[in-house]
Amino acid sequence: MEAKTVIQLENLTKRYGRQAAVSNLNLEVKEGEIFGFLGPNGAGKTTTMLMILGLTEPTSGKVRVFDLNPTREGMKVKQMIGYLPENVGFYDDMDARGNLRYIARLNGIPDNISDGRIESLLNDMDLAKEADKKVGGYSKGMKQRLGIAEVLLKEPKIAFLDEPTIGLDPDGTNKMLDLIRSLSRERKMTIFFSSHLLDQVQRISDRVGIMIAGNLVAAGPLAELAERGLGLKEGESYTLEEIYMKYFKEA
Amino acid sequence: MNGVLTIYRKEMEDHFSSMRFLLITMLIFMVGVIIASLSGMSVRDELKGMAKPDFIFLLLFTSTGKLFSFVQFIGFFGPLIGIILGFDAINRERSGRTLSKLVAQPIYRDAIINGKFLAGVTMITILMVSLILIIAGLGIRLIGVVPGADEIWRLLIYLVLSILYISFWLGVAILFSVVFRSTATSALAALALWIGLSFFVGLGGSLLADAISPIKDTADIAEAQEAFIKNANVQRVASLISPATLYGDATSTILDPLRKTPRSFILMGPLERLSLSRFQNPLPLSQSIVIVMPFMVSLVSITFLFFAICYAVFMRQEIRST
Ligand SMILES: Nc1ncnc2c1ncn2[C@@H]1O[C@H](COP(=O)(O)OP(=O)(O)O)[C@@H](O)[C@H]1O
Ligand SMILES: [Mg+2]
């Protein structure tokens, strides 16, 4: 059976003044897949996510998340999705539990239910030992894992992760990527994540979308993109620049 | 509802553990108590051996003593409490990068503002109630009189007025924290408005009045008089836009029962002034309330206006974590 479409974008456009941050984006994401959103800084990845989440209004075009319009039915959409913003921040003078508890309460999860979830997430994210320390003293990697814990707390159907590996060292990056893959496999969660690094997207994504200057230049399984004459071979890693060069040569 | 409550609880915890709130509380308590004791002592000395007049207890709050009265002190510095409680409400979350995940939770955006505002109002209420209770206790010891029912009612209305007035400033500060990204800018903007409304509204009003109906320098006395009254009226209406003036007029009406009109003394003839302060009975409480009510309504309306602007700006704002 064909997997259900959970995110649907049609001719989605966002302009800031005269500049188009995203133009005429058409994209579908299926239930349960890991979708890697690839593009250099300023390509429009964050803007696209904000529109899908209903946090900014599209200039034109259509967004549907579980057939809901996020601008109009924001509450319903926000109940079903989790969002890890780029460079997320925390309440630095509270500990990990305090931060998680606050997010749980905002989601209307009663304390007696969130208690258990918080402890098991702290374990899963390898934060149990530091859970009583103030978050202000956490390393970048710990903060990023705490951010993932906040996303998982509400048990969302889709997780949006904006540059989840940014600022992490190679070891932290590997752990984060493994974690994202296991979320998809074990929790059957749809994952929409962005990155400006090809090899990371390549490693874990079922499908990728490549964004350049507000335009989606390609979308599909990486192997398929390679077949379409890009000259990308599986198992080899390419810099984003190499891909851009190929695209710009074509265009 | 869940959103407002959760945010309210967290904000309350933050206020109680914040150094900033502790400092302002200590400062206000210290100065407030010193002023009220000075007033109390001077009232006691002046009234030595005399029959105690009516409303002596209220003098504790309104008598200027050696410096200024407690009511003047709160009228002037009260706004600062509101500003300190609210100037970084939203932009602190923005610079801490917590705002973007906050608005992504399933709560209405206005719940964020409402929760923060209600927590601030609660803090203002706690501060004012305990301050007035302390001073009242002090007064009972100093002057040796217990307030009558009438006086207690007047103090209660004064309390409500003060909480409304300081909450207005809290609302202004929260609006600025939505509009300005930097906490320093929003604090400065709120302070500028505070100083502007405290000192320059009178000036602006008189400039406006002179422009609309200048005082004429004619031989015709009736005409000159008419122009003078018109000028004064324009000035008065202009100053009513200022919450500071509204609050000042309302508090002096409610705490000074010998005053029958919020009109300033300047506008009355000398005989009227004399008869007012000497030969008439004090205004009954119910009448004072009738005079004060419109002020209260205006104050609340202006606060709501600021809130409406605040919602409108915040609802449409795009919130990024970078
Ligand atoms: N509020 C804004 N006003 C004007 N331009 C903006 C605004 N936000 C983003 N942009 C522009 O939109 C483009 C896309 O930005 P963004 O979506 O953040 O890219 P990415 O996440 O891929 O790095 C950039 O060129 C950026 O400068
Ligand atoms: Mg981005």
Side-chain angles (χ1 to χ4, degrees):
Chain A
M1 204 183 81
E2 180 88 333
K4 179 165 96 175
T5 300
V6 288
I7 302 172
Q8 192 185 8
L9 311 179
E10 276 175 27
N11 291 321
L12 192 61
T13 300
K14 176 74 185 184
R15 293 180 178 282
Y16 292 108
R18 282 198 316 196
Q19 185 208 7
V22 175
S23 35
N24 284 313
L25 178 59
N26 288 290
L27 184 67
E28 284 191 354
V29 176
K30 305 275 182 211
E31 186 163 40
E33 73 179 349
I34 302 183
F35 184 83
F37 206 34
L38 183 64
N41 285 325
K45 304 181 297 291
T46 302
T47 308
T48 305
M49 284 201 189
L50 291 179
M51 286 191 283
I52 301 175
L53 294 159
L55 295 181
T56 188
E57 241 177 283
T59 309
S60 63
K62 190 172 120 178
V63 183
R64 289 293 177 271
V65 180
F66 295 109
D67 287 326
L68 296 168
N69 178 349
T71 310
R72 298 241 187 80
E73 297 152 299
M75 283 294 263
K76 279 188 199 158
V77 172
K78 285 174 191 169
Q79 269 154 9
M80 289 187 283
I81 58 178
Y83 171 46
L84 178 70
E86 193 173 345
N87 284 315
V88 67
F90 298 90
Y91 299 101
D92 284 344
D93 47 359
M94 300 201 295
D95 61 10
R97 283 196 188 85
N99 273 280
L100 288 166
R101 168 75 27 89
Y102 187 46
I103 297 295
R105 285 180 181 163
L106 287 171
N107 280 281
I109 305 170
D111 286 358
N112 58 352
I113 294 179
S114 65
D115 275 343
R117 282 193 202 170
I118 288 172
E119 293 314 315
S120 80
L121 278 170
L122 286 172
N123 274 323
D124 293 354
M125 297 300 135
D126 207 9
L127 290 169
K129 262 183 275 164
E130 281 92 358
D132 296 323
K133 289 194 191 135
K134 290 194 169 168
V135 174
Y138 276 23
S139 70
K140 179 80 196 168
M142 288 159 71
K143 283 190 178 176
Q144 214 61 357
R145 276 178 279 144
L146 181 58
I148 300 273
E150 284 189 346
V151 169
L152 298 180
L153 198 54
K154 65 205 272 188
E155 304 187 334
K157 296 206 169 77
I158 312 178
F160 288 86
L161 313 175
D162 198 353
E163 306 265 6
T165 57
I166 205 162
L168 298 185
D169 56 22
D171 187 45
T173 301
N174 285 334
K175 279 190 186 147
M176 180 58 67
L177 293 175
D178 290 343
L179 182 67
I180 293 173
R181 185 153 43 194
S182 74
L183 292 180
S184 161
R185 303 285 175 269
E186 286 158 25
R187 296 178 198 241
K188 305 275 178 274
M189 200 178 285
T190 309
I191 290 177
F192 188 111
F193 86 103
S194 78
S195 171
H196 61 278
L197 299 170
L198 175 67
D199 59 324
Q200 300 185 0
V201 175
Q202 204 175 12
R203 256 180 55 193
I204 60 169
S205 304
D206 298 318
R207 281 195 321 136
V208 296
I210 301 174
M211 217 38 194
I212 295 174
N215 293 293
L216 185 73
V217 294
L222 212 58
E224 202 177 285
L225 295 188
E227 274 172 26
R228 267 196 245 153
L230 270 178
L232 301 176
K233 290 186 203 79
E234 251 186 302
E236 278 181 38
S237 85
Y238 295 86
T239 63
L240 208 50
E241 283 73 23
E242 284 167 336
I243 298 191
Y244 300 153
M245 289 314 288
K246 288 179 200 299
Y247 271 103
F248 283 127
K249 251 185 266 161
E250 276 179 14
Chain B
M1 222 32 240
N2 154 60
V4 180
L5 220 66
T6 306
I7 287 167
Y8 175 82
R9 272 166 72 175
K10 169 163 189 305
E11 290 297 313
M12 289 301 288
E13 281 165 25
D14 285 358
H15 282 319
F16 275 119
S17 59
S18 93
M19 202 54 180
R20 189 202 300 173
F21 185 73
L22 193 74
L23 285 177
I24 182 94
T25 310
M26 275 174 16
L27 192 75
I28 298 269
F29 268 64
M30 215 169 64
V31 180
V33 167
I34 289 174
I35 290 172
S37 331
L38 286 178
S39 303
M41 285 190 280
S42 73
V43 168
R44 188 181 54 187
D45 294 345
E46 277 167 28
L47 295 179
K48 219 165 240 165
M50 296 202 325
K52 292 205 169 115
D54 287 339
F55 300 111
I56 183 174
F57 198 77
L58 293 179
L59 284 179
L60 201 58
F61 295 88
T62 55
S63 132
T64 40
K66 289 194 177 58
L67 290 163
F68 35 81
S69 72
F70 173 78
V71 167
Q72 285 170 332
F73 168 66
I74 292 297
F76 190 71
F77 282 102
L80 208 56
I81 305 174
I83 292 173
I84 284 179
L85 285 171
F87 77 93
D88 62 348
I90 300 295
N91 48 17
R92 185 189 48 208
E93 304 243 14
R94 201 190 290 277
S95 56
R97 297 166 184 279
T98 47
L99 191 58
S100 51
K101 75 178 178 198
L102 203 56
V103 297
Q105 305 306 325
I107 52 169
Y108 292 105
R109 265 197 204 188
D110 51 5
I112 301 174
I113 294 179
N114 291 346
K116 286 177 183 256
F117 182 70
L118 288 178
V121 172
T122 311
M123 296 313 284
I124 294 168
T125 307
I126 294 174
L127 195 75
M128 286 306 293
V129 168
S130 45
L131 195 52
I132 287 183
L133 282 180
I134 289 179
I135 293 176
L138 206 76
I140 293 175
R141 295 198 54 144
L142 269 179
I143 333 182
V145 284
V146 182
D150 192 289
E151 285 173 301
I152 291 179
W153 274 112
R154 286 175 188 275
L155 274 179
L156 268 178
I157 294 170
Y158 168 71
L159 188 66
V160 171
L161 274 169
S162 302
I163 292 169
L164 283 179
Y165 180 56
I166 301 176
S167 301
F168 160 76
W169 283 98
L170 174 68
V172 169
I174 292 180
L175 170 64
F176 284 175
S177 83
V178 169
V179 174
F180 299 110
R181 311 243 146 178
S182 129
T183 52
T185 312
S186 61
L188 280 178
L191 290 179
L193 190 67
W194 169 51
I195 290 172
L197 284 188
S198 303
F199 295 108
F200 299 124
V201 158
L203 191 66
S206 71
L207 285 180
L208 190 73
D210 286 346
I212 293 178
S213 65
I215 295 170
K216 288 187 190 121
D217 204 8
T218 59
D220 184 354
I221 291 183
E223 196 185 330
Q225 213 169 25
E226 197 182 318
F228 181 79
I229 292 174
K230 207 170 154 198
N231 180 286
N233 279 339
V234 172
Q235 232 178 83
R236 161 120 212 103
V237 170
S239 69
L240 274 188
I241 302 171
S242 157
T245 316
L246 286 172
Y247 173 71
D249 286 353
T251 47
S252 50
T253 306
I254 201 73
L255 288 183
D256 185 358
L258 293 172
R259 252 172 96 127
K260 303 231 159 151
T261 152
R263 266 193 308 158
S264 54
F265 275 121
I266 308 290
L267 293 181
M268 303 175 192
L271 260 182
E272 189 187 356
R273 211 182 304 172
L274 198 68
S275 69
L276 215 104
S277 56
R278 280 292 145 83
F279 302 118
Q280 287 188 342
N281 291 326
L283 202 59
L285 178 63
S286 57
Q287 292 301 308
S288 294
I289 294 177
V290 168
I291 296 181
V292 163
M293 224 38 209
F295 292 97
M296 239 187 229
V297 172
S298 308
L299 210 52
V300 172
S301 318
I302 296 178
T303 308
F304 270 113
L305 182 73
F306 268 79
F307 250 80
I309 301 174
C310 198
Y311 288 143
V313 174
F314 192 49
M315 290 311 141
R316 320 217 69 231
Q317 222 168 35
E318 178 181 293
I319 291 154
R320 284 174 184 261
S321 58
T322 39

